[in-house]
Amino acid sequence: MKKILLISALIIILLYTAGCELLSENAGGDLKDVELAAALALDKTEAGEISAGVQLLHRDKALEQQYAESYYSLEAEGKSPAEAVAALYDQGARQLNFSHAALLVLGEQAAGLANWLDYAVRSPQLRPTLYPVICRGSAADLLDAGEATMSPAYLLENALEPRGSGYPGAAAVTLQDFLEALYDEGIAPVLPLAEKTADGVKLAGLAIYDGAAWQFLPEGDAALGWRILQRPQHLAGEVLTLTDGVSLNIIAADVFYRLNRTEPPAQPTVQVELSLKAEVLDNPKDWGQAEIAERARERLQHIFAAALAESRRLKLDFLGIGREIKRKLPALWEDWRDDDYLNETAAALNADITIEMN
């Protein structure tokens, strides 16, 4: 036992020594020189260069991240994101540390994949759990607090991680999530869309990548449909509003796609099986449990129809119907992959609702 304890102590000492060496003056500085970045913002200048901005935390206010005064910012330009970030050191940055950065905010003009994706993937400090977000206008304007007390970076991160849970909410898409959809067939990659309002930074819908550019889908039933069908494991806390002021808090959800195909020329049918558990938040009409469940089914049917209609209108499969065809009917997918399969496939939602009354 003594030998084990001695060996463990030696390992800890060696690791501590190595860590101190990495932060020594010979290795580029001490802990006092490290500046923690909460967000990286990328815009495109009129000259076609990339402008990089960072939201950095004041050391003495790192525990008060909700306040705008807890941050200071730097901005620099370059021909690429890497060059622009490197130029931040000429603006007074010391050792920028992005290991805890949660946000990559992309201005509309810089949202093209060629402007940011390669850098985000190759950067040794940007984590795969980083949240890329596209915003209306410029990223710098979105993150500029102005006279506001609350930090826009904090508000945006809190919208993506509701109630400070530390876990992604239904609207949040990590860099890893985006890459998986980008390189998969039969699903259009999606990122959240943000905008600045008089009340602060808000999520404003979806940005859907069509293979060359972004199509914006404003917040509404179609965007909610994407969250329900593609992000069911993150739906806890999402509010579902019904008619007459009745609202539900979603506790848990599960989605399963079932495909049925008869002989041609009949259409294949995608049956979406949704299991949803919710608790009543507000019930001014004093509806019973069965009536609330029935109204919730009707509401979910409407949401599903709106999402499917927008998917067909945009010709962008953000609901992943093609991916399910590819997985379960691969031969059919080989025939249809280049066709307008969204309009060739019938789709229906079957919702199983469990309601908890207070």
Side-chain angles (χ1 to χ4, degrees):
M1 179 61 73
K2 288 182 179 179
K3 288 183 178 180
I4 293 173
L5 291 173
L6 179 60
I7 291 171
S8 299
L10 287 172
I11 290 173
I12 292 171
I13 291 170
L14 287 171
L15 290 173
Y16 176 78
T17 305
C20 290
E21 175 59 27
L22 288 172
L23 292 170
S24 68
E25 290 186 6
N26 293 331
D30 204 344
L31 276 171
K32 63 182 176 62
D33 293 318
V34 175
E35 298 185 274
L36 294 178
L40 172 63
L42 297 178
D43 286 307
K44 202 165 188 181
T45 69
E46 292 184 0
E49 293 196 331
I50 296 294
S51 173
V54 283
Q55 294 281 305
L56 302 169
L57 275 168
H58 286 293
R59 289 176 175 275
D60 59 341
K61 296 182 179 179
L63 298 179
E64 301 176 346
Q65 297 185 25
Q66 66 270 39
Y67 301 117
E69 63 181 13
S70 298
Y71 299 81
Y72 59 105
S73 60
L74 295 174
E75 189 173 343
E77 297 178 5
K79 294 180 180 178
S80 67
E83 187 175 304
V85 171
L88 289 169
Y89 290 91
D90 295 331
Q91 305 302 316
R94 291 172 291 179
Q95 290 187 62
L96 294 178
N97 188 313
F98 290 97
S99 62
H100 295 284
L103 302 173
L104 173 60
V105 185
L106 307 166
E108 264 185 277
Q109 298 305 313
L113 300 193
N115 294 323
W116 64 274
L117 187 59
D118 184 69
Y119 174 74
V121 172
R122 292 176 182 271
S123 173
Q125 287 200 37
L126 296 181
R127 300 170 298 163
T129 53
L130 182 82
Y131 301 132
V133 178
I134 294 177
C135 68
R136 295 285 194 181
S138 80
D141 289 344
L142 185 84
L143 294 178
D144 182 12
E147 300 298 321
T149 301
M150 299 296 288
S151 160
Y154 176 84
L155 292 174
L156 182 54
E157 185 176 347
N158 193 61
L160 297 171
E161 294 182 351
R163 287 172 281 281
S165 65
Y167 296 96
V173 177
T174 66
L175 178 61
Q176 183 65 41
D177 292 334
F178 178 77
L179 287 172
E180 288 177 1
L182 180 66
Y183 294 114
D184 201 355
E185 290 185 298
I187 185 166
V190 171
L191 287 179
L193 180 66
E195 65 180 19
K196 199 167 190 176
T197 69
D199 298 323
V201 174
K202 305 288 185 183
L203 295 179
L206 305 178
I208 310 169
Y209 190 63
D210 67 7
W214 295 94
Q215 301 293 330
F216 294 150
L217 187 64
E219 184 59 31
D221 282 351
L224 177 56
W226 172 80
R227 294 198 295 272
I228 291 173
L229 298 183
Q230 287 299 310
R231 310 285 292 169
Q233 69 273 32
H234 302 294
L235 272 179
E238 186 92 12
V239 175
L240 181 66
T241 57
L242 309 182
T243 56
D244 295 320
V246 178
S247 61
L248 307 175
N249 176 51
I250 297 175
I251 299 172
D254 185 62
V255 173
F256 179 76
Y257 284 72
R258 190 185 309 279
L259 267 73
N260 300 311
R261 185 189 182 191
T262 56
E263 293 300 318
Q267 293 177 313
T269 300
V270 176
Q271 183 73 37
V272 182
E273 305 286 347
L274 170 64
S275 297
L276 188 141
K277 183 179 181 181
E279 61 182 356
V280 177
L281 285 180
D282 201 6
N283 185 16
K285 295 294 184 179
D286 199 26
W287 290 345
Q289 194 172 28
E291 185 170 5
I292 292 176
E294 182 58 33
R295 297 293 184 102
R297 284 190 200 91
E298 293 174 359
R299 177 81 176 101
L300 289 167
Q301 291 285 355
H302 183 83
I303 291 169
F304 176 73
L308 184 61
E310 282 299 300
S311 181
R312 287 171 170 167
R313 181 184 70 83
L314 295 171
K315 297 184 178 180
L316 291 174
D317 189 359
F318 57 88
L319 299 180
I321 290 173
R323 184 170 63 180
E324 296 303 319
I325 296 174
K326 182 188 69 172
R327 289 174 176 175
K328 295 167 184 174
L329 297 174
L332 177 64
W333 176 251
E334 288 301 316
D335 292 337
W336 276 15
R337 62 195 302 175
D338 297 323
D339 298 332
D340 185 13
Y341 64 86
L342 285 171
N343 285 304
E344 296 295 330
T345 304
L349 175 74
N350 179 41
D352 179 27
I353 311 294
T354 301
I355 300 295
E356 291 187 355
M357 306 290 288
N358 295 327

